[in-house]
């Protein structure tokens, strides 16, 4: 996007929701703002004050996403700090952002509706939604004699927590005692996994589809990833976005069964992924897309996203005196 200059920069206040570790993305957002003549100030709504995002922005102590007064408290924060944009970075915050916009409307967020977010956060409901939309997913176990291996995912889990691979009948019986708490699907041991960073404007225009291969995952979050050139993944992503009516920042996850070369949709997170900075470095200027929509400008689609852009994420200390 071409730089826009003004004599006086317009202030734009962005509130991360659960963005405690998103320092790199925060810096990219500030850089994009500078090119557009915007003075972007970052805040983050957190449970603890001692979090890395405090290196570049202000931390506001908030409520848990399940708290009954979270929307009211968030409204107080938005009003007090003159927040223009809400950016959720964890699953629980997505529906909160959508509900806030629908209730108060005094800020903007690049997210799906809260109802759509609730479906996508529930793996059982989302699998049904994907199948109803005609999207290719791993076979879901719905009864009868099981064929191993299977994978059991907590239906409302995140960051790969609680996922189990089921190899035999004893494990299967243990899991299915509480089968309503899990999505159980066919497991493919020989597989590749891909994440696709997407951005869809509020008008429904697809501005960015950037596939990347997950090379290394630590604690459920990618630590090493590389952008890839795959027309198959891009086309599958376009179909998913169109059929499901997605908007804003969206992260799609696919697996490829190496035995059959079959590409299947695993899940969709309607938020920015932790590894989105890889796509940004490759040419997907998602920060500028977000800021453009926030100030009422027409965002520019990503023209050239370079394959072979690899990032390795690492730990860096944020030191506090408490």
């Amino acid at each position: 996007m071409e730089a826009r200059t003004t004599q006086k920069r317009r202030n734009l206040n962005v509130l991360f929701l659960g963005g405690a570790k998103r320092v790199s993305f925060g810096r990219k957002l500030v850089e994009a703002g500078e090119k557009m003549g915007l003075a972007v100030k970052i805040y983050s709504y957190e449970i603890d004050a001692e979090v890395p995002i405090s290196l570049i922005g202000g931390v506001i102590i908030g409520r848990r996403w399940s708290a009954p007064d979270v929307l009211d408290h968030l409204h107080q924060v938005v009003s007090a700090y003159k927040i223009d944009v809400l950016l959720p970075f964890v699953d629980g915050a997505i529906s909160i952002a959508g509900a806030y916009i629908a209730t108060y409307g005094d800020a903007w967020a690049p997210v799906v509706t809260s109802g759509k977010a609730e479906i996508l956060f529930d793996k059982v409901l989302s699998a049904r939604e994907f199948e109803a939309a005609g999207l290719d997913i791993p076979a879901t176990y719905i009864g009868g004699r099981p064929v191993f291996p299977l994978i059991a995912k907590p239906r409302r889990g995140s960051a790969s927590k609680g996922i189990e691979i089921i190899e035999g009948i004893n494990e299967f019986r243990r899991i299915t005692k509480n089968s309503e708490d899990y999505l159980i699907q066919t497991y493919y041991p020989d597989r590749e996994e891909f994440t696709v960073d997407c951005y869809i404007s509020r008008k429904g225009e697809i501005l960015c589809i950037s596939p990347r291969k997950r090379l290394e995952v630590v604690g459920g979050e990618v630590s090493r990833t590389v952008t890839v050139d795959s027309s198959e993944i891009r086309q599958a992503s376009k179909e998913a976005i169109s059929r499901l009516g997605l908007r804003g920042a969206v992260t799609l996850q696919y697996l490829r069964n190496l035995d059959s070369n079959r590409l299947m949709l695993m899940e969709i997170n309607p938020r920015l992924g932790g590894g989105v900075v890889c796509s940004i470095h490759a040419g997907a200027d998602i920060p500028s897309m977000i800021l453009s929509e926030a100030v009422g400008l027409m965002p520019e689609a990503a023209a050239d996203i370079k394959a072979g852009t690899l990032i390795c994420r690492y730990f860096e200390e944020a030191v506090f005196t408490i």
Side-chain angles (χ1 to χ4, degrees):
M1 176 171 289
E2 294 181 2
R4 298 180 176 88
T5 58
T6 59
Q7 291 183 344
K8 184 178 180 180
R9 290 181 182 273
R10 171 178 171 179
N11 294 326
L12 193 78
N13 296 328
V14 180
L15 181 64
F16 288 6
L17 302 179
K21 299 179 181 179
R22 305 306 180 208
V23 178
S24 295
F25 183 83
R27 287 172 175 155
K28 287 294 182 186
L29 203 63
V30 172
E31 290 173 9
E34 289 176 351
K35 293 177 182 177
M36 298 171 62
L38 298 171
V40 175
K41 187 166 185 178
I42 293 173
Y43 300 91
S44 199
Y45 193 81
E46 305 290 339
I47 296 299
D48 300 305
E50 295 80 21
V51 290
I53 196 66
S54 62
L55 296 172
I56 63 168
V59 175
I60 300 168
I61 301 301
R63 304 288 194 267
R64 296 192 180 278
W65 310 125
S66 58
D69 65 339
V70 64
L71 284 182
D72 289 340
H73 185 259
L74 190 57
H75 183 50
Q76 294 173 26
V77 170
V78 170
S79 300
Y81 290 86
K82 296 181 173 56
I83 299 299
D84 301 292
V85 183
L86 302 177
L87 283 183
F89 285 91
V90 292
D91 293 341
I94 303 164
S95 60
I96 294 298
Y100 182 87
I101 300 305
T103 303
Y104 294 102
D106 55 351
W108 175 74
V111 295
V112 296
T113 63
S114 58
K116 179 73 75 175
E118 286 295 330
I119 291 173
L120 294 175
F121 187 37
D122 185 317
K123 291 180 174 57
V124 172
L125 295 182
S126 60
R128 293 174 187 166
E129 185 98 341
F130 300 161
E131 287 187 308
L135 304 175
D136 196 6
I137 67 172
T140 301
Y141 174 79
I142 56 175
R145 185 174 181 177
V147 178
F148 304 113
L150 296 167
I151 184 169
K153 302 178 181 180
R155 65 183 296 171
R156 295 183 68 82
S158 61
S160 299
K161 294 178 182 177
I163 291 179
E164 295 194 45
I165 308 303
I166 306 173
E167 302 280 1
I169 194 65
N170 290 334
E171 296 167 278
F172 176 78
R173 286 171 177 163
R174 175 176 55 81
I175 288 292
T176 51
K177 285 181 180 178
N178 299 297
S179 59
E180 67 278 4
D181 296 332
Y182 291 90
L183 171 68
I184 301 175
Q185 293 182 315
T186 300
Y187 179 68
Y188 302 95
D190 297 320
R191 59 200 264 154
E192 293 179 319
E193 293 190 7
F194 300 90
T195 295
V196 190
D197 299 309
C198 305
Y199 193 87
I200 307 98
S201 75
R202 65 178 83 192
K203 293 183 178 180
E205 181 184 0
I206 299 175
L207 303 176
C208 164
I209 295 180
S210 177
R212 50 186 171 84
K213 187 175 180 180
R214 291 158 64 95
L215 302 176
E216 183 178 83
V217 178
V218 176
E221 189 163 297
V222 70
S223 58
R224 186 178 174 91
T225 184
V226 61
T227 54
V228 297
D229 182 8
S230 171
S231 58
E232 181 186 13
I233 295 176
R234 287 194 296 271
Q235 182 58 36
S237 300
K238 286 180 182 179
E239 291 176 2
I241 290 167
S242 175
R243 294 179 190 181
L244 298 172
L246 301 177
R247 294 290 186 275
V250 177
T251 305
L252 295 85
Q253 293 186 356
Y254 287 89
L255 70 83
R256 186 187 299 282
N257 177 15
L258 295 178
D259 292 332
S260 64
N261 203 39
R262 178 182 166 198
L263 184 73
M264 289 165 277
L265 178 65
M266 290 193 293
E267 61 183 81
I268 295 176
N269 296 312
R271 59 173 172 79
L272 293 159
V276 69
V277 288
C278 182
S279 291
I280 296 170
H281 281 288
D285 195 357
I286 293 174
S288 290
M289 297 173 190
I290 293 171
L291 297 179
S292 292
E293 290 212 286
V295 298
L297 298 175
M298 182 66 70
E300 296 179 8
D304 181 26
I305 302 174
K306 296 184 177 68
T309 301
L310 182 148
I311 65 164
C312 303
R313 304 174 74 196
Y314 64 97
F315 291 104
E316 182 177 339
E317 295 75 22
V319 181
F320 303 92
T321 301
I322 59 175

